[in-house]
Amino acid sequence: MAQLAASQVAVTVPVGSDLSTRRSVFKTHSISFHDKLWAPSLSLDLKTKNARLRNRHIICQSVQQASVPKVNVSPLYLEDAKEPPLNIHKPKEPYTATIVSVERIVGPKAPGETCHIVIDHGGNVPYWEGQSYGIIPPGENPKKPGSPHNVRLYSIASTRYGDTFDGKTASFCVRRAVYYDPETGKEDPSKNGVCSNFLCNSKPGDKVRVTGPSGKIMLLPEDNPNATHIMIATGTGIAPYRGYLRRMFMESVPTFKFNGLAWLFLGVANSDSLLYDDEFKKYLKDYPDNFRYDLALSREQKSKSGGKMYVQDKIEEYSDEIFKLLDTGAHIYFCGLKGMMPGIQETLKRVADQRGENWEEKLSQLKKNKQWHVEVY
């Protein structure tokens, strides 16, 4: 459904007294939010990677969470709407946004290239966390000469306030789609992904046509600030969860004070393929009672059966706990390549059978209760 997705991008957070992220690069500068000067603050280079993760289930000691500073955001009238914005800009009348930054965010040993892309929409295409933008790449549709390319959907990887916390930008997490000829093993540019390559090749100042926002299935329910949210991603499917987690733990939002549990499962190939890892590690440090983070690295870890570790194997490790949380109202989200779902469904069905439960009935009830959220592509 969605294709998940300066020149150095920076994530700006105010300094905590004990903030330390190993092997991260920080720069100190002043920045103004809501006419208040925050100085110093930290600029976190998204390129930096923590390649050594010996224990993939990370446990942190508790800290005084009340002392963790959050970033002021504006304009707060973005909180006033009762319903999410939908299709403000349609394909025939897209909004022309501007590329702010494009940053490769995976290490050299990652298979393929993934970029964090920030666009400036000037506040003209507001959205909520969990929604998608449509992107219309330049050029004409080869199947319809004279017509523009079809819209490609990308899940938004930022909160409604954007990476600059002012409501004027949106971010994407985009993996460059490259085609290699199976016979020669060489890249065939004529078959590369049109939109992903356009975005990853973009430079600051370039224009991009945007439609939307669209989507309601992945919206973050905020009626219960003590709720549990179990988030399962493969690769760039991490995008909506980055937005959720920034809203929960980074931003100071007067109308949303999260005090529940956010549990993230991320499946990627190896340590160099981890996405936004430094951000998630900081939440673990600052909010150990409210955030859990589990990784499935298919090329570095083994499952209990001795095969590659995929995200469904990691889910199975914690299946009893996950099922108990679902029974008490937890929301569960899935985002990534559609190929992830059969393996996950098989795992959940097997676990349900072991527990003496009927998975089909349980799944039907989860959907009825609006606890089950899926966006795959």
Side-chain angles (χ1 to χ4, degrees), residues 79-358:
E79 302 296 324
D80 294 345
K82 302 302 181 186
E83 293 293 327
L86 287 170
N87 302 312
I88 297 171
H89 294 275
K90 296 179 170 57
K92 290 186 178 180
E93 295 181 344
Y95 180 78
T96 301
T98 304
I99 298 287
V100 175
S101 58
V102 178
E103 174 79 358
R104 178 187 169 104
I105 55 170
V106 291
K109 295 181 181 177
E113 179 179 26
T114 301
C115 295
H116 181 77
I117 298 164
V118 181
I119 67 167
D120 183 347
H121 59 77
N124 296 294
V125 198
Y127 58 89
W128 283 9
E129 298 73 24
Q131 289 192 297
S132 299
Y133 272 173
I135 301 294
I136 303 175
E140 67 176 38
N141 189 332
K143 296 181 180 179
K144 297 179 182 178
S147 299
H149 282 287
N150 293 334
V151 172
R152 272 74 162 179
L153 290 176
Y154 287 90
S155 291
I156 300 170
S158 50
T159 73
R160 66 193 70 183
Y161 298 101
D163 285 7
T164 48
F165 308 108
D166 60 3
K168 294 181 179 179
T169 67
S171 302
F172 306 122
C173 180
V174 180
R175 177 165 174 168
R176 186 190 294 273
V178 180
Y179 178 83
Y180 291 94
D181 187 286
E183 293 184 2
T184 65
K186 294 182 179 180
E187 180 183 342
D188 183 351
S190 68
K191 296 182 179 179
N192 285 350
V194 173
C195 199
S196 65
N197 280 272
F198 159 65
L199 289 171
C200 291
N201 289 336
S202 294
K203 301 290 187 292
D206 288 352
K207 301 302 179 181
V208 56
R209 291 177 293 173
V210 174
T211 70
S214 63
K216 296 177 75 171
I217 190 67
M218 294 292 284
L219 292 175
L220 179 66
E222 297 186 359
D223 54 322
N224 178 9
N226 300 310
T228 294
H229 302 273
I230 303 167
M231 300 163 281
I232 298 162
T234 57
T236 56
I238 196 69
Y241 309 143
R242 179 178 184 259
Y244 297 173
L245 295 170
R246 287 169 76 89
R247 187 163 174 83
M248 291 172 178
F249 301 127
M250 183 182 288
E251 298 178 345
S252 177
V253 181
T255 56
F256 182 54
K257 304 291 185 183
F258 182 70
N259 195 37
L261 172 65
W263 191 354
L264 174 62
F265 291 84
L266 173 60
V268 292
N270 55 25
S271 299
D272 268 19
S273 303
L274 289 172
L275 302 168
Y276 310 112
D277 189 58
D278 286 328
E279 285 186 39
F280 303 149
K281 292 281 183 50
K282 180 175 175 357
Y283 304 148
L284 269 178
K285 184 179 189 301
D286 291 344
Y287 300 93
D289 298 329
N290 302 94
F291 183 52
R292 293 174 66 173
Y293 181 32
D294 282 281
L295 302 171
L297 307 182
S298 60
R299 299 188 185 182
E300 294 180 6
Q301 296 171 285
K302 297 292 185 184
S303 67
K304 287 183 178 180
S305 62
K308 291 183 176 181
M309 173 70 81
Y310 293 109
V311 71
Q312 62 262 31
D313 300 308
K314 186 60 68 172
I315 292 169
E316 189 167 14
E317 285 185 24
Y318 297 99
S319 56
D320 280 342
E321 192 172 357
I322 289 171
F323 269 62
K324 288 175 184 176
L325 289 170
L326 291 174
D327 288 342
T328 55
H331 290 271
I332 189 164
Y333 311 80
F334 305 88
C335 193
L337 293 172
K338 61 184 176 183
M340 70 188 276
M341 290 309 296
I344 289 172
Q345 292 264 35
E346 289 169 12
T347 297
L348 294 173
K349 184 180 187 305
R350 183 169 63 253
V351 171
D353 290 344
Q354 293 168 355
R355 293 167 58 89
E357 299 183 52
N358 183 302

